[in-house]
């Protein structure tokens, strides 16, 4: 719904999709969290494209944050 509202107001809008993982844990936990965050981001990207948003309008990135405890996916308007 939020993406549709943005596109109604700004039909040429582009988005940044960021898969965010925590920074706390041992190296194995961090690697697993990063992989899972990316998988979640890819699932969100698939959902957006299945809803009709062209993949060229979404730029996917990954980040780590000490402000998150669990993996998150953030979507920003460019």
């Amino acid at each position: 719904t939020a993406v549709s509202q943005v596109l109604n107001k700004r039909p040429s809008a582009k988005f940044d999709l960021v898969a965010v993982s925590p920074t706390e844990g041992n190296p194995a936990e961090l690697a697993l969290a990063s992989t899972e965050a990316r998988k979640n981001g890819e699932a969100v990207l698939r959902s957006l494209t299945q809803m009709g948003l062209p993949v060229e309008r979404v730029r996917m990135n990954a980040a780590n944050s000490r402000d998150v405890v669990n993996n998150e996916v953030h979507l920003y308007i460019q």
Side-chain angles (χ1 to χ4, degrees), residues 6-7 14 30 32 34 38 40 42 44 51 58-59 65 67 70 74 76:
V6 168
L7 293 173
K14 294 183 179 181
L30 295 176
L32 182 60
S34 178
R38 182 161 294 282
N40 292 341
E42 290 169 353
V44 170
M51 290 182 224
V58 182
R59 181 173 53 189
S65 174
D67 296 329
N70 297 306
H74 298 187
Y76 302 99

Side-chain angles (χ1 to χ4, degrees), residues 6 9 11 16 19-20 22 24 27 30-32 37-38 41 43 45 50 54 56 59 65 72 75 78:
V6 168
K9 292 180 182 177
D16 283 323
V20 183
E24 297 289 323
L30 295 176
L32 182 60
R38 182 161 294 282
L45 180 59
Q50 289 172 351
E56 301 82 30
R59 181 173 53 189
S65 174
E72 299 179 1
L75 187 64
Q78 288 184 4

Side-chain angles (χ1 to χ4, degrees), residues 2 28 35 39 69:
T35 299
K39 285 181 184 178
V69 177

